[in-house]
Amino acid sequence: MKTKPTKHLILLFIVPVLFFVVLVDLNGSTIRKGTLRVGAARECINPPEKMFPGTGEYQNYIGIHDSLFVRTIVIDNGITRAALVSMDMSGVPEGGFSLDIATATMIRPENLFICATHTHSGWRLQRNDNSSEYYDLIKAATIKSLRDAIGRLQPARVGFAEGKAYVNTNRDEKIGEGYHMGYVPDGPSDKTVAVLSFTTHEGEPIAIYANYPVHAVVMYRAKTRDGHPEVSADLPGATARYVESHFKNVIALWTSGAAGDQNPLFMANYNQDGPDVFDEGAAGYAILDVQARRLGEEIVRLTRSIRNTSSDVQIWAKKSSVTCPGRQRKYPPDPNVPRQGYLAPAIIEMIEGDPVTIPLHLLMINDIALAGVSAEVFTEIGINLKAQSLFDRTIMVTHLPEKVGYIPTDKAFLLPSEKAIVNNLAPGCAEPSMINAFIAMMEEYITLRGADN
Amino acid sequence: MKIKGLIIIVVVICGCNQTLVGAGLQSGILRVGAGKVSITPPQQMFPTGVEYRDFIGVHDSIFVRSIVIDNGFTRAALVSMELVNGPDKEEFYETLSKELKIKPENLFISATHSHNTLSVHQYPGKNADVYYDLVKKATIRSLKEAAGNLRPARIGYATGKAYVNVNRDQQIGAGWHMGYNPDGPSDKTVTVVTFTTLSGDPIAVYANYPCHAVVMYRAKTRDGHQELSGDLPGATSRYIESRFKGIVAVYADGAAGDQNPVFMANYNQDAPDVCDEGAAGFAILDVLSRRLGEEMVRLIRSAKNTSSSATIWGKKTIVTCPGRQRKYPADPDLPVGGYMAPSVIEMVDGEPVSIPLHLLMINDIAFAGVAGDFFTEIGMNIKKHSRFDRTLVVTKMPKVEVVPNNAGYIPTDKAYLMPSEKAIYNPLKPGCAEQSVIEAYNNMMNEYLNLKSNRNQK
């Protein structure tokens, strides 16, 4: 039996604590930990037979070499649900696609972390084409994949590892009068492979979220069948297949890092912008295979190396954006000049243009930061973000929805890189602004989760 | 007419003067010629029936390429044969020497070590003799073609880099095997010695890069069989030759004992998940050779400080190191190439091992040759400690029957500690080879410098 004064003392202690908890919950100002559950799934997003042949100089596909997929991982801690999505497409469909997916799956838009692998051998939707049959197919497949993943939620652990792979290279090469897409082995290049693994409590992999900075262009422009190119998920698809073949029932999401100036070490259409371009044709798939194996081997090794996993997680996400001064071309006025080619003019006159807004997206899973950018970011910006990040475990993911184009370093504007010379961004803003914006979001997360940490 | 006569007299006097002054080592006006003759085996020699080299036919022709250099006093030749190894009979080289009137020490011959070819003696039965004759005649023809085309020339030198090789000592299973070790030691240096006409048109290039010629090794490219190919050296030479009119591109392997191509058609050949890309593997060969060839072409075009006169000097020597032999496991086929190979081999003292070395000097360019296969760091250290900035290391020089216990792989001492697959049962004892060969090359270089110095003093 407790005495009355003791009861009073207990009440005196409990009431303020309850009041504090209620206050915190009402304000949504803390991030609670919960037991992690994870599910994963994938769905084919191949264009139907009747869509072939494709149109366009490099997209007149005659058929499918290897299937395109949307792959999803749903993570849930009992309090917050989030989803990681990777699509074998050049870009995430526009026109409210992400919002539609979020609504259909009841995942809050800021917790839907969606990106494209940027395969150049995928089927390209026209900008804002949200009324075609193929758009509907992709939407339905993405929703189904997410619902399947939700249906497969099981207790899980999350882990992280980083390694290296040598299948990318800087591509800003001086060819003819200007810098074009070529081969610069001594240029800046982030070789980091990052792996986020989700396993059962017994350690069996459920899903892998892999990240590497390289353009998915091994088979781009290669004529592999009857003088035509074929649809392919390229390096991301081949790597994901390799990883999935090395674990039972794993779903391997491949995401691109800061690859704005990074190409594969070897491409089937060799020297695509050089005077001595050469198409290896269908044999180019051997070039794709060996590079995917090498990258896949490192992802598999890293997945197996992970030791410090966690089954209790905080999940938090936020979207933000930065706006930078813009510019537009004055000379030459023809927007098709400079064309891709070694004789492109090296001097372009740019004048002030509309400001450019770069959408950013941060997803935190404990101390793992997924820093998403709706753009194609040059490799050194990714390296610098990771160097300045408040979290050792930071991954830059690119090709998020509503892409704004390439984001070069200021150094790349000085070359000028082919992707800087006509860029709508004025130099001097994007890199520091994006890094500061990510750090500000991370600080907010740190503040919010303070109570639990 | 009178003027012509005057010129001839002046030239003759000038030549005599050089001869008199350069009693030991003369510098003279450089003349260069080049030749290239096929050594592709005839159709009746296929299939070859050798494990991993059971060629059903020819994918791409193989050649012997020669550059003859002459300064009016000394004639030398740089020869590259697209074979795993050059012929092992002393008679072969004596014949070349006699036929071409080139002293043996000035005949600088190496093999490209393409694993998609066979050494002469590997052909079964009478085919070995048939092929020996074919290769001998082709080599003589190639050299005579080169000697017949001698013309005033300039020599240049340039180095660059190519990223198509990789260290191959990877821990797979219980031991270190041929795999992929991208952070391991690897010399990326590409070296070219260019020979042009006086007006700058390329006559020949001697191109050097450390990489095993194994892109297509073990790949079954036609009807479940392999095909004969010059592999990376052959494809790279073809690339260069397609870029310059009339050039002969002589490819020589560097210190590649632990260097493989960055990608191979038979992917992960010693690992559990080996994958044969088959005929499509030739696309891998093509892109690798283009990348290497591009760098060589760039270097050829970049060579600026060329010289039209040359001092030519060659010398051979042999370094002998303590040897050893395997005690356990007794079976010489163990460890076989494979990830389950035992990692412990017991070695006991054995016969001393010979390492034949060959130095050819053209002005300040040192061609440091070895009848063996240096690990890459030995090549780097030879260059680092050389008396000449312009030093290139050439491996796979001929191993002739008269040299006892000729070395094969020559690993670094560090490689014995792993132990590398090529060190674990190596007949060379660690602790001798690297230091001794560097010293031997430098002794020969000192001798050359002394001879040059004597000439200059006179």
Side-chain angles (χ1 to χ4, degrees):
Chain A
M1 289 290 289
K2 288 181 176 117
T3 59
K4 274 185 182 178
T6 315
K7 274 185 184 173
H8 287 144
L9 269 175
I10 291 168
L11 280 172
L12 272 173
F13 175 75
I14 289 172
V15 170
V17 168
L18 281 175
F19 179 74
F20 176 76
V21 169
V22 170
L23 189 72
V24 165
D25 266 353
L26 284 174
N27 291 342
S29 58
T30 193
I31 304 163
R32 286 150 60 193
K33 263 191 180 173
T35 304
L36 177 67
R37 290 188 308 144
V38 170
R42 67 173 201 182
E43 273 298 309
C44 182
I45 52 170
N46 281 343
E49 188 66 35
K50 62 187 176 189
M51 286 174 66
F52 293 95
T55 54
E57 189 179 0
Y58 304 122
Q59 282 88 39
N60 57 341
Y61 305 117
I62 200 166
I64 295 169
H65 177 269
D66 53 89
S67 290
L68 309 174
F69 289 95
V70 54
R71 291 177 169 89
T72 55
I73 304 171
V74 172
I75 53 173
D76 190 302
N77 65 357
I79 305 142
T80 307
R81 178 171 289 179
L84 304 167
V85 181
S86 172
M87 312 180 73
D88 284 331
M89 299 193 71
S90 175
V92 177
E94 297 180 353
F97 178 84
S98 305
L99 204 58
D100 288 350
I101 301 297
T103 308
T105 55
M106 292 193 295
I107 295 169
R108 293 168 68 171
E110 65 268 29
N111 292 342
L112 185 61
F113 196 86
I114 187 165
C115 68
T117 62
H118 200 45
T119 171
H120 278 44
S121 296
W123 199 279
R124 291 188 186 190
L125 286 171
Q126 296 302 309
R127 201 170 179 84
N128 289 320
D129 176 8
N130 56 359
S131 59
S132 70
E133 189 182 335
Y134 189 46
Y135 178 91
D136 291 341
L137 183 154
I138 294 163
K139 194 165 91 173
T142 308
I143 293 167
K144 183 172 184 305
S145 178
L146 279 163
R147 286 179 178 161
D148 285 350
I150 292 166
R152 292 171 193 167
L153 283 172
Q154 59 178 311
R157 303 184 70 88
V158 60
F160 180 92
E162 274 185 349
K164 281 188 175 180
Y166 299 87
V167 301
N168 66 353
T169 180
N170 191 284
R171 69 186 193 180
D172 273 323
E173 182 183 359
K174 192 163 190 190
I175 306 173
E177 293 178 37
Y179 282 83
H180 301 282
M181 272 190 271
Y183 168 67
V184 188
D186 294 323
S189 184
D190 186 359
K191 306 295 183 195
T192 308
V193 182
V195 165
L196 199 56
S197 80
F198 300 96
T199 67
T200 63
H201 283 185
E202 292 74 41
E204 293 299 322
I206 299 167
I208 293 161
Y209 191 82
N211 179 266
Y212 186 68
V214 67
H215 255 76
V217 291
V218 178
M219 300 309 298
Y220 185 45
R221 300 190 185 185
K223 293 185 167 107
T224 52
R225 181 148 58 103
D226 302 333
H228 288 260
E230 292 170 282
V231 164
S232 168
D234 207 82
L235 190 63
T239 306
R241 279 199 305 280
Y242 179 90
V243 175
E244 287 170 351
S245 72
H246 282 69
F247 298 102
K248 201 177 164 187
N249 296 328
V250 82
I251 299 289
L253 274 69
W254 192 100
T255 63
S256 180
D261 52 352
Q262 303 296 302
N263 263 8
L265 201 50
F266 292 104
M267 293 162 69
N269 197 255
Y270 190 87
N271 272 356
Q272 66 171 44
D273 274 4
D276 53 353
V277 59
F278 184 83
D279 188 352
E280 300 286 349
Y285 285 114
I287 296 169
L288 173 63
D289 188 59
V290 293
Q291 292 180 103
R293 282 172 183 274
R294 198 138 281 164
L295 181 52
E297 280 167 3
E298 182 64 353
I299 294 169
V300 168
R301 185 188 74 77
L302 290 170
T303 304
R304 290 183 174 141
S305 76
I306 292 170
R307 295 285 177 275
N308 302 317
T309 58
S310 175
S311 60
D312 256 6
V313 297
Q314 291 167 307
I315 302 169
W316 182 82
K318 182 163 183 169
K319 288 187 174 186
S320 179
S321 66
V322 293
T323 301
C324 284
R327 52 182 206 162
Q328 59 188 14
R329 61 195 296 150
K330 184 183 173 191
Y331 173 83
D334 181 353
N336 289 321
V337 175
R339 296 171 60 82
Q340 289 165 343
Y342 63 102
L343 286 168
I347 294 170
I348 306 278
E349 193 183 343
M350 302 292 285
I351 54 172
E352 277 186 24
D354 292 333
V356 179
T357 298
I358 307 165
L360 305 178
H361 194 170
L362 180 70
L363 177 68
M364 297 296 312
I365 307 170
N366 287 346
D367 63 344
I368 301 166
L370 301 180
V373 185
S374 297
E376 303 190 41
V377 184
F378 272 41
T379 203
E380 284 175 299
I381 299 178
I383 292 170
N384 289 338
L385 170 75
K386 288 187 269 189
Q388 294 175 46
S389 169
L390 302 183
F391 295 94
D392 295 336
R393 298 172 167 200
T394 298
I395 300 173
M396 179 178 269
V397 183
T398 58
H399 303 287
L400 271 71
E402 315 299 330
K403 274 195 293 186
V404 296
Y406 284 93
I407 303 180
T409 56
D410 286 349
K411 205 166 64 181
F413 278 99
L414 297 175
L415 282 175
S417 158
E418 184 187 45
K419 301 304 182 194
I421 197 167
V422 285
N423 201 289
N424 290 335
L425 279 163
C429 168
E431 178 172 345
S433 304
M434 282 166 39
I435 292 174
N436 288 341
F438 276 123
I439 288 173
M441 287 192 277
M442 289 172 186
E443 280 169 345
E444 188 180 338
Y445 171 65
I446 289 169
T447 306
L448 287 170
R449 76 170 193 165
D452 260 10
N453 289 274
Chain B
M1 288 296 282
K2 275 184 181 175
I3 294 170
K4 268 190 185 172
L6 204 65
I7 291 168
I8 289 163
I9 290 162
V10 169
V11 169
V12 168
I13 288 170
C14 185
C16 290
N17 191 36
Q18 282 183 330
T19 311
L20 289 171
V21 171
L25 202 56
Q26 295 102 337
S27 175
I29 292 165
L30 178 68
R31 291 187 309 144
V32 171
K36 169 186 165 184
V37 175
S38 171
I39 50 170
T40 308
Q43 191 55 47
Q44 63 266 26
M45 288 174 71
F46 296 95
T48 48
V50 177
E51 190 186 10
Y52 298 130
R53 292 180 179 123
D54 184 16
F55 309 126
I56 199 170
V58 179
H59 177 271
D60 50 87
S61 295
I62 55 174
F63 295 91
V64 56
R65 292 176 170 89
S66 308
I67 305 170
V68 170
I69 52 174
D70 190 299
N71 65 357
F73 312 106
T74 307
R75 179 168 289 190
L78 302 162
V79 181
S80 172
M81 311 175 87
E82 289 188 38
L83 295 172
V84 179
N85 290 300
D88 58 0
K89 291 185 175 14
E90 183 75 354
E91 185 268 346
F92 183 93
Y93 303 98
E94 283 171 356
T95 308
L96 299 186
S97 186
K98 275 180 201 159
E99 288 272 342
L100 273 297
K101 296 186 174 59
I102 296 174
K103 288 179 177 175
E105 63 268 28
N106 294 336
L107 199 52
F108 196 83
I109 301 184
S110 65
T112 63
H113 204 44
S114 167
H115 279 44
N116 273 48
T117 67
L118 285 175
S119 294
V120 170
H121 67 269
Q122 288 178 304
Y123 282 92
K126 286 182 180 174
N127 278 347
D129 293 337
V130 172
Y131 196 52
Y132 180 85
D133 282 343
L134 185 154
V135 172
K136 189 162 81 173
K137 281 176 185 159
T139 309
I140 292 168
R141 233 181 85 206
S142 163
L143 281 161
K144 285 190 171 170
E145 204 177 276
N149 285 326
L150 285 175
R151 64 201 118 152
R154 303 186 70 88
I155 181 172
Y157 178 97
T159 61
K161 280 188 176 181
Y163 298 85
V164 300
N165 66 353
V166 68
N167 190 285
R168 68 185 192 180
D169 274 320
Q170 181 185 357
Q171 189 158 21
I172 306 172
W176 293 79
H177 300 283
M178 271 190 271
Y180 170 68
N181 182 13
D183 294 321
S186 182
D187 187 359
K188 307 295 183 194
T189 309
V190 181
T191 307
V192 297
V193 180
T194 63
F195 301 94
T196 67
T197 63
L198 296 184
S199 52
D201 292 323
I203 298 168
V205 61
Y206 192 81
N208 176 255
Y209 186 66
C211 186
H212 255 77
V214 291
V215 179
M216 300 309 299
Y217 185 44
R218 298 192 188 185
K220 291 180 170 136
T221 52
R222 180 151 53 108
D223 303 333
H225 289 261
Q226 297 139 286
E227 291 172 280
L228 186 121
S229 168
D231 206 80
L232 188 65
T236 306
S237 289
R238 277 200 304 280
Y239 180 89
I240 299 168
E241 287 168 354
S242 73
R243 292 316 193 255
F244 299 100
K245 196 178 165 187
I247 198 173
V248 172
V250 179
Y251 183 106
D253 198 12
D258 51 354
Q259 303 296 300
N260 263 8
V262 73
F263 292 109
M264 293 161 69
N266 197 252
Y267 189 88
N268 274 357
Q269 66 172 45
D270 275 3
D273 55 348
V274 59
C275 171
D276 188 351
E277 300 287 349
F282 283 115
I284 298 171
L285 173 63
D286 189 58
V287 292
L288 292 170
S289 61
R290 280 172 187 270
R291 197 140 282 165
L292 181 53
E294 279 168 4
E295 179 64 355
M296 289 172 175
V297 167
R298 187 187 72 78
L299 291 172
I300 292 165
R301 290 184 174 137
S302 78
K304 293 285 181 285
N305 302 318
T306 57
S307 173
S308 61
S309 62
T311 307
I312 302 167
W313 184 78
K315 179 158 185 167
K316 289 182 174 188
T317 189
I318 293 177
V319 162
T320 304
C321 280
R324 55 183 202 162
Q325 60 189 16
R326 63 194 296 152
K327 185 182 173 192
Y328 172 84
D331 181 355
D333 287 334
L334 290 178
V336 292
Y339 64 103
M340 296 300 289
S343 55
V344 177
I345 306 276
E346 194 185 339
M347 303 292 287
V348 292
D349 282 352
E351 294 296 314
V353 178
S354 305
I355 308 174
L357 304 180
H358 193 169
L359 180 71
L360 181 71
M361 296 297 311
I362 308 175
N363 292 342
D364 63 346
I365 302 170
F367 297 75
V370 63
D373 210 350
F374 288 136
F375 271 38
T376 202
E377 285 176 298
I378 298 182
M380 291 160 93
N381 286 335
I382 289 167
K383 290 188 269 189
K384 184 178 164 188
H385 295 292
S386 168
R387 304 297 308 268
F388 296 94
D389 295 335
R390 298 176 163 197
T391 298
L392 55 153
V393 174
V394 179
T395 57
K396 285 82 174 190
M397 311 285 282
K399 292 178 188 177
V400 285
E401 61 210 337
V402 291
V403 174
N405 208 17
N406 200 142
Y409 284 98
I410 304 171
T412 56
D413 286 347
K414 205 166 65 181
Y416 282 93
L417 298 175
M418 281 177 169
S420 159
E421 186 188 47
K422 301 304 183 196
I424 196 167
Y425 58 107
N426 198 294
L428 271 166
K429 260 189 182 174
C432 167
E434 178 170 349
Q435 190 188 329
S436 303
V437 298
I438 290 173
E439 204 177 296
Y441 281 129
N442 283 350
N443 285 341
M444 289 192 281
M445 288 172 188
N446 286 340
E447 190 178 335
Y448 172 66
L449 284 169
N450 284 337
L451 288 168
K452 266 180 77 169
S453 161
N454 289 342
R455 181 194 77 200
N456 291 338
Q457 281 168 11
K458 283 174 186 175

